[in-house]
Amino acid sequence: MARRKKVYEGKAKILYEGPEPGTLIQYFKDDEQPANVSPISAATEGKGVLNNRLSEFFMTGLNNIGVPTHFMRRLNMREQLVRMAEIVPLEVVVRNFAAGGISERLGIPEGTPLPRPIVEYYFKDDNLGTPLVSEEHIIAFGWANQQDLDDVVALALRVNDFLSGVMLGVGVRLMDFRIEVGRIWEGDFMRLILADEISPDSMRLWDLRLPERSDGQTPDPAPLADVYTELARRLGVLPSNVTHPAKPSVIN
């Protein structure tokens, strides 16, 4: 890796120049925690390996049903080949149940089903704390136009349908998740694709398979414990040489 040209380094990943024009190699780290997470003492060894496998699983499934993503193929335990894209400077959050920021802002108890999936936008700037922004802000400042936003919502809701179904099939409730979107050009034609990753770093997951209580009652859903290894185990993508990583990041 030392001979590669580094394009970008974030808290959880490094991007290197790819072997062909228009490609990048995405390397999954496990030595730093994502933003908005307090320091955790638990070992993080293996987190990058699991995130690589899980993101491959989700991106491949989305590609197979016609949802465009930047994912091309996994290269090894920590790396995958992806298409280069111009990232729209927004984090797109889809909420199915109240939790985190929306509960705090609106006083809705955590776990409350929302009337419909709600799509929120956050401006990507760590120095500003990735603030919540409106469509008016996005269009006024030129981060995207109205057609882009219509396409982003359509893309996000398709991803939500897929992920919700996959998670429910393994006894997990998808409370909310965060994605990033990129622009690619095919001749003069521009389209939006799903970029970055889909992993427990960008999801809030609650467990629906909790042990029965001593009084015989079914317990209420609760956050999925040991989310990286447990989710990978349930989905059948757990490598045999991975230890238990740390907890996932928190969506606002």
Side-chain angles (χ1 to χ4, degrees):
M1 277 190 293
R3 297 178 183 177
R4 299 177 185 164
K5 180 178 179 181
K6 185 188 299 184
V7 176
Y8 169 82
E9 181 168 3
K11 298 178 180 67
K13 293 181 297 296
I14 304 174
L15 294 177
Y16 297 96
E17 282 189 344
E20 300 173 1
T23 66
L24 296 169
I25 293 175
Q26 184 165 253
Y27 175 89
F28 286 79
K29 301 162 57 177
D30 52 27
D31 58 340
E32 293 188 44
Q33 292 300 320
N36 301 324
V37 181
S38 300
I40 297 173
S41 59
T44 60
E45 182 182 356
K47 170 178 168 287
V49 172
L50 287 176
N51 278 348
N52 185 22
R53 289 294 187 97
L54 286 165
S55 192
E56 174 197 17
F57 176 87
F58 294 125
M59 292 285 192
T60 299
L62 288 165
N63 283 337
N64 288 341
I65 63 170
V67 177
T69 81
H70 75 158
F71 177 80
M72 299 175 71
R73 65 180 183 274
R74 181 169 61 85
L75 298 174
N76 52 49
M77 294 290 281
R78 289 187 179 272
E79 296 177 327
Q80 49 185 240
L81 186 67
V82 300
R83 296 183 68 175
M84 185 181 296
E86 177 191 321
I87 300 298
V88 178
L90 300 169
E91 291 185 355
V92 182
V93 172
V94 181
R95 300 185 184 275
N96 298 306
F97 296 84
I102 196 169
S103 291
E104 297 168 4
R105 292 193 303 270
L106 304 181
I108 305 173
E110 289 212 347
T112 302
L114 299 176
R116 60 180 177 82
I118 293 175
V119 180
E120 296 178 338
Y121 304 102
Y122 294 81
F123 179 51
K124 277 180 59 64
D125 190 320
D126 289 342
N127 293 328
L128 299 176
T130 316
L132 177 68
V133 293
S134 68
E135 289 192 2
E136 183 69 18
H137 292 117
I138 295 166
I139 295 170
F141 293 121
W143 301 327
N145 59 38
Q146 187 61 60
Q147 183 60 59
D148 291 336
L149 292 179
D150 292 345
D151 292 343
V152 166
V153 169
L155 179 66
L157 293 179
R158 290 186 69 190
V159 174
N160 186 45
D161 285 344
F162 172 79
L163 292 179
S164 295
V166 170
M167 295 301 183
L168 192 59
V170 294
V172 175
R173 174 179 291 171
L174 180 64
M175 302 293 287
D176 51 40
F177 66 95
R178 178 180 62 242
I179 60 173
E180 294 185 21
V181 175
R183 298 183 179 96
I184 62 170
W185 280 263
E186 295 165 343
D188 294 331
F189 176 71
M190 186 278 294
R191 65 171 175 152
L192 297 174
I193 64 171
L194 182 64
D196 194 45
E197 66 174 308
I198 298 180
S199 77
D201 277 356
S202 56
M203 300 175 180
R204 182 179 279 110
L205 305 174
W206 280 22
D207 197 354
L208 300 175
R209 293 182 181 174
L210 296 173
E212 190 176 88
R213 297 187 335 198
S214 58
D215 58 7
Q217 298 297 311
T218 302
D220 293 330
L224 187 66
D226 192 17
V227 62
Y228 295 96
T229 49
E230 179 60 18
L231 182 61
R233 184 189 66 78
R234 292 191 190 184
L235 292 173
V237 298
L238 179 62
S240 59
N241 62 337
V242 176
T243 58
H244 296 285
K247 297 177 183 178
S249 67
V250 177
I251 296 174
N252 290 331

